[in-house]
Amino acid sequence: MPEFLQNIIPNVLKKLPALWEATLETLEMTGISALFILVLGMALGILLTVTRKGGLMENTAVYRVLDVIINLLRSVPFIILLFLLIPLTRIICGTSIGVVGSIFPLIVGTVPFFSRQAEAALAGVDPGLIEAAQSMGCSKPGIIFRVYLKESVPALSRGITITLINLVGLTAMAGAVGAGGLGNFAYVQGVQRNCYDIICAAVVVLVIIVQIIQIIGNIIAKKSER
Amino acid sequence: MIRLEHITKTYVNAGKKFNAADDVSLEIEKGEIFGIIGFSGAGKSTLVRCINLLERPDSGKVLIGGRDITSLHGAELRRQRKKIGMIFQHFNLFASRTVLQNVIFPIRYSGLSRQQLKEKAMNLLELVGIADKAGAYPSELSGGQKQRAAIARALASDPEILLCDEATSALDPQTTESILKLLRSLNAKLGLTIVLITHQMNVVKSICTRTAVMENGKIVELGDVFGIFANPQQPVTRSFVDTTSCLSGINDLIEEESPVVQLNPGQRILRFRYLEKSACEALVSSISRRFSIDLNIVFGSIEIIGDHPIGGLVVIADGNEADIDAAVEYLRSINVGVEVI
């Protein structure tokens, strides 16, 4: 068996510790940026939902501004956003390279996407429920937390799953241009040194990470669905 | 208990103005079951939502127990809303919560302990007859059970008023009947004032004490249910009353030239309507004896509303012309509405 592996993935075996480290870096980038993305995106999603026409705190001006900013950010391809943000990233993260330097662009690149996912999930809450809660004298924060968020858990967990999977892909892209992680590993060790088995190994690990996220997401969505 | 004064609410839709409530004034007594009936778009939904200010009227006042609530905002308004329960056509139960949790929802932060909350909710579920479903999720309930759960939830904060927005429109006739029975018993047991809006005349007929008929944002007719049924004044009211009786079926038969209504010489079709609460005598046999005419009943629809019979008959009268005229004359004199068709 070791001999067989030696034949098909000789380079990977030599770089196993580096592969492991790259995997951890990818998880680190994903995890840290995900924390910010979920909180910020959720807040924006809620804001979009309540300020839209007919919303709980209808405010056309706020809605329009957010809407335009989100659309603008979403129309910039991530690879360009990475370069575009370099000066800002330096100010905020202290560096524009490595795992730390990738967090800020990942957040900026993914928050707009997730805020739309969150908005869509919240829009799926039956307006009748909001009306019922209002008729019971429920406060606005009460309606947001006890009705909107609680009732949209299945849809939200699906949105979060999609977002996290996207994010894993973006970390790889960020990695290829200087951040760490599996993207960087595949590019530096694989592409530049012409070691095809390294690229494949990075892909396999990414596939596993994505699968795990998808499976967990499905379980939560299913469990919360009534 | 509830007083609406000159309520006006206008919507602008695609540049067009739409009067959902047009200077509506109304007074509903404590302990009453008050029905508001109208076709969809008549403005009844808007009107009922003005009572708890889910819709704020453009002008006019809403007084609950003598207090003007149109001036309330924020926390004060929310406190007032807790005294007004509301149930809906599509129940609006929280799908992610069990029945028990749904009932607890409105009183969760009212200061009661967990134990007290549970006890109160269970008592309410007992009251509406679904205590065994406390742990079930709404998706596991039938329509009638869902509405019972919604009623229990609406009663959780001990309201004095219950607003019912087409509460039975999504239910089958049997279930509708059982929900109406429940509402009637809540009205009797708790002294609950109930305002219900509906487009089903049967609902009004079976539980309301008084009713208002709405059309184009206005109340076009208002009165006790018997009066409305016995003597509808407006065309819209008449069409609602007709939905609960088959007496207008005669018009269809005539139109279709059905053999049933092919008259022989000397025959005439008459339609009787009982207009008074006292019209409870052996009409048909008495006039056929007195005026020696034969009466063949084609349609009949008689029911008891508020302990009085109401409805009418469509008959083919056979006899000589003078006798039939005399009979019609006599019926009119004892206040039975007669139409010669």
Side-chain angles (χ1 to χ4, degrees):
Chain A
M1 188 71 179
E3 206 171 314
F4 172 67
L5 288 176
Q6 197 62 255
N7 283 335
I8 58 160
I9 48 169
N11 303 307
V12 174
L13 290 182
K14 271 182 248 161
K15 296 271 163 57
L16 271 182
L19 175 62
W20 177 241
E21 197 179 321
T23 305
L24 289 182
E25 278 175 1
T26 291
L27 292 177
E28 193 185 349
M29 280 191 283
T30 309
I32 295 174
S33 51
L35 270 181
F36 287 95
I37 289 161
L38 296 187
V39 172
L40 291 174
M42 200 62 237
L44 281 176
I46 290 170
L47 210 53
L48 284 168
T49 306
V50 297
T51 57
R52 73 178 319 141
K53 203 165 181 293
L56 208 52
M57 303 177 218
E58 185 175 327
N59 188 327
T60 323
V62 171
Y63 182 81
R64 286 259 170 81
V65 170
L66 285 179
D67 194 50
V68 167
I69 293 177
I70 288 170
N71 286 345
L72 278 179
L73 282 175
R74 285 197 66 191
S75 49
V76 182
F78 185 65
I79 191 87
I80 295 174
L81 192 70
L82 273 173
F83 297 123
L84 198 66
L85 288 176
I86 285 176
L88 209 55
T89 307
R90 271 205 196 113
I91 296 169
I92 290 172
C93 302
T95 171
S96 65
I97 54 164
V99 170
V100 175
S102 72
I103 302 281
F104 181 64
L106 284 172
I107 293 171
V108 177
T110 311
V111 161
F113 177 78
F114 181 59
S115 63
R116 287 296 186 207
Q117 294 284 330
E119 187 191 11
L122 297 179
V125 174
D126 178 1
L129 299 185
I130 310 302
E131 194 179 36
Q134 281 177 315
S135 79
M136 293 172 219
C138 193
S139 66
K140 283 170 186 175
I143 290 174
I144 290 171
F145 289 102
R146 300 175 69 204
V147 184
Y148 269 124
L149 291 187
K150 172 102 173 129
E151 293 300 317
S152 61
V153 168
L156 273 179
S157 63
R158 264 180 239 115
I160 291 173
T161 307
I162 295 174
T163 305
L164 291 183
I165 289 173
N166 252 339
L167 183 60
V168 172
L170 296 188
T171 63
M173 204 189 288
V177 295
L182 288 163
N184 188 50
F185 179 74
Y187 186 64
V188 177
Q189 310 290 336
V191 178
Q192 290 186 339
R193 300 185 186 181
N194 209 9
C195 300
Y196 194 70
D197 59 334
I198 295 260
I199 302 176
C200 291
V203 169
V204 169
V205 176
L206 285 170
V207 167
I208 292 170
I209 293 175
V210 166
Q211 279 302 319
I212 290 172
I213 294 173
Q214 184 71 57
I215 289 168
I216 293 174
N218 286 351
I219 291 173
I220 294 175
K222 198 148 202 191
K223 275 214 152 170
S224 56
E225 200 128 69
R226 295 287 174 191
Chain B
M1 184 76 203
I2 303 171
R3 217 163 100 194
L4 304 181
E5 288 180 357
H6 306 290
I7 299 291
T8 300
K9 175 86 186 177
T10 312
Y11 293 106
V12 179
N13 202 350
K16 264 192 183 165
K17 270 189 163 182
F18 172 72
N19 276 338
D22 188 0
D23 193 22
V24 175
S25 295
L26 186 63
E27 187 151 9
I28 297 168
E29 305 293 334
K30 189 169 170 52
E32 214 177 356
I33 303 183
F34 190 91
I36 301 174
I37 191 164
F39 292 110
S40 47
K44 51 196 194 310
S45 268
T46 303
L47 194 64
V48 81
R49 277 168 177 70
C50 282
I51 296 175
N52 59 3
L53 294 190
L54 280 181
E55 297 275 5
R56 214 166 246 287
D58 297 333
S59 65
K61 276 186 190 172
V62 180
L63 291 102
I64 308 280
R67 182 178 186 214
D68 179 7
I69 67 161
T70 16
S71 58
L72 301 184
H73 289 273
E76 256 187 312
L77 174 58
R78 291 204 301 277
R79 214 169 304 129
Q80 177 63 46
R81 278 184 180 155
K82 286 184 202 290
K83 294 185 203 153
I84 309 174
M86 187 165 187
I87 57 173
F88 305 86
Q89 178 173 6
H90 298 295
F91 325 120
N92 294 350
L93 294 170
F94 301 117
S96 67
R97 296 171 192 268
T98 62
V99 169
L100 186 71
Q101 289 165 339
N102 263 284
V103 178
I104 288 175
F105 184 97
I107 47 173
R108 180 75 186 78
Y109 299 104
S110 62
L112 295 180
S113 72
R114 240 160 223 283
Q115 194 51 42
Q116 288 170 314
L117 285 173
K118 194 173 171 204
E119 223 164 83
K120 180 159 193 192
M122 285 311 296
N123 285 340
L124 285 166
L125 289 174
E126 197 79 54
L127 183 67
V128 300
I130 52 164
D132 56 324
K133 297 288 178 190
Y137 284 91
S139 59
E140 299 160 344
L141 304 182
S142 69
Q145 291 168 334
K146 282 181 194 167
Q147 198 57 290
R148 282 167 192 270
I151 291 170
R153 185 177 66 175
L155 296 178
S157 36
D158 303 315
E160 295 160 10
I161 299 168
L162 181 65
L163 307 178
C164 309
D165 178 12
E166 298 277 8
T168 57
S169 300
L171 303 174
D172 63 55
Q174 271 99 1
T175 315
T176 295
E177 206 39 63
S178 78
I179 293 291
L180 293 178
K181 221 165 140 188
L182 173 63
L183 289 176
R184 205 181 301 127
S185 83
L186 293 175
N187 167 260
K189 261 189 234 169
L190 311 175
L192 198 62
T193 305
I194 298 178
V195 181
L196 60 88
I197 65 170
T198 181
H199 61 267
Q200 298 165 304
M201 203 61 188
N202 282 315
V203 170
V204 170
K205 194 172 66 185
S206 76
I207 71 166
C208 291
T209 41
R210 284 197 307 149
T211 186
V213 182
M214 267 193 99
E215 193 180 26
N216 298 329
K218 284 186 192 300
I219 290 181
V220 293
E221 205 161 340
L222 188 147
D224 67 276
V225 173
F226 185 89
I228 296 273
F229 268 88
N231 213 350
Q233 298 297 314
Q234 300 291 327
V236 56
T237 316
R238 226 166 286 146
S239 70
F240 272 118
V241 170
D242 283 346
T243 59
T244 65
S245 91
C246 57
L247 296 185
S248 55
I250 188 71
N251 298 333
D252 297 333
L253 284 186
I254 291 171
E255 218 165 272
E256 290 163 15
E257 299 183 351
S258 156
V260 181
V261 293
Q262 295 310 311
L263 301 182
N264 297 325
Q267 291 187 330
R268 251 186 286 171
I269 301 177
L270 305 177
R271 178 156 52 197
F272 304 156
R273 274 180 200 282
Y274 298 150
L275 298 183
E276 273 189 3
K277 295 184 179 178
S278 56
C280 190
E281 47 184 285
L283 260 191
V284 171
S285 49
S286 101
I287 56 172
S288 77
R289 259 201 315 271
R290 274 176 80 159
F291 302 96
S292 54
I293 53 177
D294 290 322
L295 295 171
N296 171 19
I297 298 175
V298 188
F299 284 105
S301 164
I302 294 166
E303 339 179 48
I304 308 296
I305 294 182
D307 296 332
H308 300 291
I310 190 165
L313 298 173
V314 173
V315 300
I316 297 178
D318 197 347
N320 80 52
E321 206 168 314
D323 286 341
I324 294 178
D325 286 341
V328 168
E329 213 46 51
Y330 166 72
L331 287 169
R332 286 191 176 139
S333 75
I334 60 167
N335 256 328
V336 173
V338 185
E339 265 175 279
V340 181
I341 302 178

